[in-house]
């Protein structure tokens, strides 16, 4: 994408419109920091959300226990995995080590025997607050543009016979498209 902007220096897009497949903390950071988009309209992907009760945050940005916001979760290092954004791991404040990890919570907020674990991403704020309020009229009106773009792409693929073509030869593809235009104009 950086190569594209290098080739087109006068093209400065301000808003990124994507579907929920783009929903990740790492990707939002790249869009906002590296490519300088001021807004990234990407709907939440429900697969990236936990069904558990939400963790709160204290004044210092540390996650707190969902059942008792006065208890800060314990820092447990940084997790690095291939294909995922680096994230900070936090564990239940009532968890202790005795022949492994054990949680002494009377009302656990998780079914895990080790207690609740949560992760904080460096770019999580960009995912949660993408530069525009998610339920606003501005979000809805701007995101409608994406459907127009999807229809245009579908037009290229279906009506112009680009999708499902059986060859990769540029000349043959060009002649197929021109023949398709000619056949459609005769009707």
């Amino acid at each position: 994408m950086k190569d594209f902007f290098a080739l087109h220096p006068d093209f400065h897009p301000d808003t990124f419109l994507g579907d929920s497949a783009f929903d990740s903390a790492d990707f939002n950071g790249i869009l906002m920091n590296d490519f300088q988009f001021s807004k990234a309209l990407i709907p939440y992907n429900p697969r990236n959300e936990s069904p558990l009760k939400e963790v709160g945050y204290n004044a210092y940005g540390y996650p707190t226990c969902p059942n008792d916001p006065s208890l800060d979760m314990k820092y447990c290092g940084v997790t690095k995995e291939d294909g995922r954004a680096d994230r900070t791991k936090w564990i239940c404040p009532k968890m202790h080590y005795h022949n492994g990890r054990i949680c002494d919570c009377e009302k656990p907020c998780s079914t895990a025997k080790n207690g609740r674990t949560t992760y904080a991403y460096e770019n999580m704020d960009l995912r949660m607050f993408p530069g525009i309020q998610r339920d606003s009229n501005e979000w809805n009106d701007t995101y409608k543009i994406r459907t127009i773009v999807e229809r245009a792409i579908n037009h290229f693929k279906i009506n112009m016979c680009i999708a499902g073509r059986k060859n990769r030869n540029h000349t043959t593809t060009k002649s197929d498209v021109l023949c398709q235009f000619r056949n459609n104009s005769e009707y």
Side-chain angles (χ1 to χ4, degrees):
M1 205 157 155
K2 284 184 180 181
D3 295 338
F4 175 81
F5 293 128
L7 292 172
H8 303 281
D10 296 331
F11 183 65
H12 302 288
D14 182 56
T15 305
F16 179 86
L17 301 174
D19 62 11
S20 60
F22 291 102
D23 180 30
S24 77
D26 199 30
F27 190 69
N28 279 316
I30 291 169
L31 289 173
M32 304 294 250
N33 298 329
D34 295 349
F35 296 115
Q36 305 300 313
F37 283 101
S38 66
K39 301 172 190 168
L41 279 68
I42 302 171
Y44 280 127
N45 187 339
R47 292 180 298 177
N48 291 341
E49 298 296 324
S50 172
L52 300 173
K53 193 174 179 183
E54 277 195 42
V55 172
Y57 292 90
N58 68 12
Y60 300 106
Y62 301 153
T64 59
C65 177
N67 292 336
D68 186 0
S70 66
L71 294 174
D72 294 342
M73 296 186 86
K74 293 180 184 177
Y75 175 78
C76 196
V78 176
T79 304
K80 298 178 184 235
E81 297 176 28
D82 287 341
R84 296 193 72 168
D86 292 348
R87 54 208 174 141
T88 307
K89 184 176 182 176
W90 301 85
I91 57 176
C92 180
K94 295 188 178 182
M95 198 282 304
H96 68 276
Y97 292 95
H98 181 72
N99 295 333
R101 290 177 10 186
I102 298 171
C103 181
D104 289 332
C105 198
E106 296 84 35
K107 292 184 346 185
C109 56
S110 171
T111 57
K113 68 176 182 173
N114 300 338
R116 179 70 179 265
T117 301
T118 190
Y119 297 92
Y121 296 85
E122 179 184 335
N123 296 314
M124 194 58 157
D125 284 344
L126 296 176
R127 180 176 176 247
M128 302 299 276
F129 308 105
I132 184 173
Q133 188 177 343
R134 289 184 179 275
D135 60 348
S136 67
N137 287 335
E138 183 184 2
W139 172 285
N140 294 333
D141 293 343
T142 306
Y143 201 75
K144 286 178 186 175
I145 295 169
R146 189 172 183 286
T147 61
I148 296 167
V149 172
E150 289 292 333
R151 284 195 300 266
I153 291 170
N154 187 50
H155 173 72
F156 282 118
K157 288 180 177 178
I158 305 303
N159 297 343
M160 296 178 74
C161 299
I162 302 294
R165 62 190 181 119
K166 308 236 186 307
N167 62 60
R168 299 287 180 219
N169 184 314
H170 179 72
T171 306
T172 305
T173 301
K174 186 175 179 181
S175 65
D176 287 347
V177 169
L178 292 174
C179 288
Q180 183 66 27
F181 272 134
R182 182 175 177 151
N183 287 340
N184 286 340
S185 64
E186 290 176 2
Y187 295 107

